[in-house]
């Protein structure tokens, strides 16, 4: 656990009461020998009137361990099963064990890919999930590797027919067409469902 600050507090202990009690004895009582208890109280009161104690104080902040990142509050507890919103562009999701989540996250609108510690989502892109695509794979053949998702301006998966680029005929230099791909109900591209819409 991360201690952010150490505060030293002064505490008056009960031994002081024993000292006061000893000082209020009458003259006749003062002549009497001390009992073992009275002697112990006097010794404790003389040497332990004031003692210092150390109190751990925590502050909000990130803590990383072997499992991942967690966010600790000033009371020493962690954010769990919640979302911390830092700004309009940044937010952080935590699971029920208190660890920062990364990857696909579903809310009331749909699915988005969260970037973890960066606090942001991928947006306005064709998002690829899978092993690196081998070098030399050309054009639309790359869509047969891994999984591809079309993410809108807010980062949500899109479904149905989506335009993802320009197209041109092999014997022409001008880009005068549009490439459209179909994304299923889970937002995954179906590479074989492809069409070109020509503008001429």
């Amino acid at each position: 656990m991360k201690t952010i600050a150490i505060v030293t507090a002064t505490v008056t202990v009960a031994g002081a009461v024993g000292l006061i009690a000893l000082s209020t004895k009458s003259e006749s009582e003062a002549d009497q020998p001390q009992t073992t208890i009275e002697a112990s109280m006097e010794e404790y009161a003389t040497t332990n009137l004031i003692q210092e104690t150390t109190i751990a104080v925590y502050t909000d902040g990130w803590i990383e361990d072997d499992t991942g990142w967690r966010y600790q509050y000033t009371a020493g507890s962690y954010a769990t099963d919640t979302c911390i919103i830092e700004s309009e562009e940044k937010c952080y999701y935590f699971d029920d064990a208190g660890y920062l989540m990364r990857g696909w996250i579903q809310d009331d609108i749909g699915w988005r890919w969260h970037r973890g510690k960066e606090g942001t989502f991928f947006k306005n892109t064709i998002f690829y999930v899978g092993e690196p695509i081998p070098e030399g794979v050309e054009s639309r053949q790359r869509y047969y590797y891994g999984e591809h998702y079309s993410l809108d301006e807010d980062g949500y998966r899109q479904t149905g027919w989506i335009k993802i680029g320009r197209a041109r005929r092999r014997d022409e230099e001008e880009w005068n067409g549009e490439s459209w791909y179909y994304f299923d109900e889970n937002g995954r591209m179906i590479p074989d469902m492809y069409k070109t819409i020509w503008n001429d």
Side-chain angles (χ1 to χ4, degrees):
M1 188 161 292
K2 182 179 179 182
T3 301
I4 305 303
I6 298 297
V7 178
T8 300
T10 300
V11 181
T12 302
V13 298
V17 177
L19 180 63
I20 295 172
L22 290 172
S23 65
T24 56
K25 289 183 178 181
S26 63
E27 292 184 2
S28 59
E29 290 175 328
D31 295 334
Q32 300 298 320
Q34 287 181 317
T35 65
T36 301
I37 295 177
E38 289 173 336
S40 298
M41 289 179 62
E42 184 175 23
E43 179 181 358
Y44 184 83
T46 302
T47 59
N48 296 280
L49 283 177
I50 297 175
Q51 70 179 30
E52 292 183 347
T53 184
T54 300
I55 304 172
V57 179
Y58 304 94
T59 188
D60 286 8
W62 291 101
I63 294 179
E64 185 179 24
D65 59 23
D66 293 339
T67 302
W69 287 95
R70 295 193 289 178
Y71 193 87
Q72 186 180 57
Y73 296 122
T74 53
S77 60
Y78 295 94
T80 58
D81 197 22
T82 189
C83 175
I84 295 178
I85 299 175
E86 181 176 307
S87 67
E88 291 185 1
E89 295 297 325
K90 286 191 174 185
C91 60
Y92 305 92
Y93 292 84
F94 298 87
D95 61 22
D96 54 7
Y99 286 97
L100 179 66
M101 299 172 66
R102 179 180 180 275
W104 291 117
I105 292 178
Q106 184 181 30
D107 58 23
D108 294 338
I109 299 175
W111 290 90
R112 295 190 289 178
W113 184 279
H114 195 272
R115 303 174 73 175
K117 191 65 166 54
E118 295 183 25
T120 58
F121 296 94
F122 285 100
K123 303 176 181 180
N124 284 326
T125 188
I126 299 299
F127 184 68
Y128 173 73
V129 179
E131 298 296 324
I133 299 175
E135 294 184 8
V137 176
E138 298 181 359
S139 187
R140 58 186 300 267
Q141 294 301 314
R142 65 184 181 275
Y143 295 133
Y144 288 90
Y145 291 84
E147 298 178 347
H148 293 79
Y149 299 86
S150 176
L151 306 181
D152 67 15
E153 61 183 9
D154 295 315
Y156 290 101
R157 295 180 190 172
Q158 300 184 86
T159 60
W161 287 101
I162 305 294
K163 184 182 75 172
I164 66 171
R166 299 180 300 168
R168 69 179 179 182
R169 295 182 175 92
R170 291 183 180 275
D171 56 348
E172 296 181 359
E173 294 184 1
E174 183 180 356
W175 295 88
N176 62 348
E178 300 173 345
S179 295
W180 290 71
Y181 283 85
Y182 186 82
F183 294 79
D184 66 17
E185 66 276 8
N186 295 314
R188 181 182 177 184
M189 176 191 284
I190 308 300
D192 289 330
M193 297 185 69
Y194 163 83
K195 64 182 179 180
T196 301
I197 298 178
W198 301 106
N199 298 322
D200 52 16

